[in-house]
Amino acid sequence: MPGLFDLDAVGVPGCFGKVVMTFCGKSRSGASGLTILVLISILSHSTLAGATEKCLIIAMPEVRMTGDGIEPYRDAMQKAGVCVKPIRMPLARVGQALSHAEIDGAFAELEGFQQRVDRPIIRGNVRVGLVDGMLVVRSGKISGISDLTDESVGVWLGSDWSDVLLADHPKVVRVPRGPEMMQKMLRYGRLDAMLLDSYSLSVTGGTPDGFQAIPVTSLSVYSWLAVDHADLLPAFDEGTSLFLKMIIEWRQK
């Protein structure tokens, strides 16, 4: 592979082996020598810029490999002037990854997500969407939160919206590993019910047999960034808006 400043590779044959300040010999002095130095400067600048560009690692929980997935998101952010490396990641792992600085942000998490992250993060100003908060309980007479009596209800540890809804309920089980663990506990009879958002319910197996899912509230979803990158938030918001527009256009095809 040619060296970084091997001008033979860019159409200036047999020149750069000599001392640069000779402008490749007297026969190539003047304008041609200046051209070579300008070319070297351009190559150096572009290489340095590429090497120092910071790309944010952004988690896209449970993303699908379709027209509303990773590549369109990357394109939208690029148009807004933000370099991102979007990665697929299970919803339950995003908070931990942000806490450990393995990622720089998340495309979609519920409002209040900062409660589950041991690192300063900021919420984007563009709402990504709305999801339902669902009460999953055995099929029967229960039709809402007010009908609960002595049932053991699982919630995602740190999920403030569910804590608010169940503030007066005597049997709340806070589950550190979230929806996947709650699904297992429900199936094994260690929980009588669980409270989670509709998206998490759908990606962890849906409503188990013998149970019903009842909408009990509406929840806002936003993008999030580590505070370290707060200066990029305006462009990040613009990229989020562009991506949402691309999703709408793709789904209308």
Side-chain angles (χ1 to χ4, degrees):
M1 178 181 293
L4 179 60
F5 297 120
D6 185 350
L7 299 188
D8 286 351
V10 290
V12 186
C15 170
F16 201 68
K18 303 177 179 62
V19 179
V20 172
M21 293 304 294
T22 66
F23 295 92
C24 299
K26 294 181 180 179
S27 62
R28 299 190 185 185
S29 61
S32 62
L34 180 60
T35 300
I36 292 171
L37 288 182
V38 170
L39 179 58
I40 293 172
S41 176
I42 292 172
L43 288 172
S44 301
H45 178 75
S46 61
T47 303
L48 180 60
T52 58
E53 185 178 20
K54 170 66 177 178
C55 287
L56 304 179
I57 302 176
I58 304 297
M60 300 192 74
E62 318 296 347
V63 70
R64 294 169 293 182
M65 299 302 290
T66 61
D68 54 353
I70 282 179
E71 290 305 322
Y73 181 73
R74 194 198 322 267
D75 292 344
M77 283 295 170
Q78 186 176 15
K79 289 179 181 177
V82 182
C83 178
V84 299
K85 292 182 179 178
I87 58 172
R88 292 198 297 172
M89 182 173 287
L91 189 67
R93 184 169 139 61
V94 177
Q96 181 184 17
L98 252 175
S99 297
H100 295 166
E102 297 170 7
I103 59 177
D104 300 300
F107 164 64
E109 280 284 359
L110 292 175
E111 188 168 14
F113 173 59
Q114 70 273 17
Q115 307 278 344
R116 296 191 278 110
V117 180
D118 296 327
R119 180 186 179 191
I121 60 174
I122 51 175
R123 195 200 76 183
N125 296 302
V126 178
R127 190 172 69 185
V128 171
L130 286 170
V131 295
D132 290 324
M134 310 293 289
L135 174 65
V136 180
V137 65
R138 288 195 178 277
S139 301
K141 60 182 181 179
I142 294 177
S143 59
I145 298 290
S146 61
D147 293 329
L148 295 172
T149 54
D150 62 347
E151 292 84 3
S152 297
V153 184
V155 301
W156 197 340
L157 179 64
S159 180
D160 57 348
W161 68 270
S162 52
D163 285 342
V164 170
L165 288 178
L166 296 172
D168 299 322
H169 189 69
K171 292 186 178 179
V172 178
V173 181
R174 292 173 174 81
V175 182
R177 294 180 59 188
E180 291 182 352
M181 180 58 70
M182 285 194 286
Q183 285 274 19
K184 292 179 181 178
M185 294 173 71
L186 197 68
R187 290 186 172 93
Y188 291 137
R190 296 176 61 189
L191 291 175
D192 301 313
M194 61 182 178
L195 194 61
L196 73 171
D197 65 90
S198 56
Y199 186 77
S200 296
L201 176 62
S202 68
V203 299
T204 56
T207 307
D209 292 341
F211 287 78
Q212 59 180 333
I214 305 165
V216 292
T217 191
S218 185
L219 304 166
S220 295
V221 178
Y222 291 91
S223 291
W224 299 82
L225 270 183
V227 166
D228 316 42
H229 310 296
D231 60 313
L232 295 175
L233 187 60
F236 188 68
D237 282 341
E238 181 183 349
T240 301
S241 295
L242 288 172
F243 180 55
L244 295 177
K245 182 179 179 181
M246 291 168 68
I247 289 177
I248 294 172
E249 292 174 351
W250 180 81
R251 290 178 178 175
Q252 289 176 344
K253 291 180 180 180

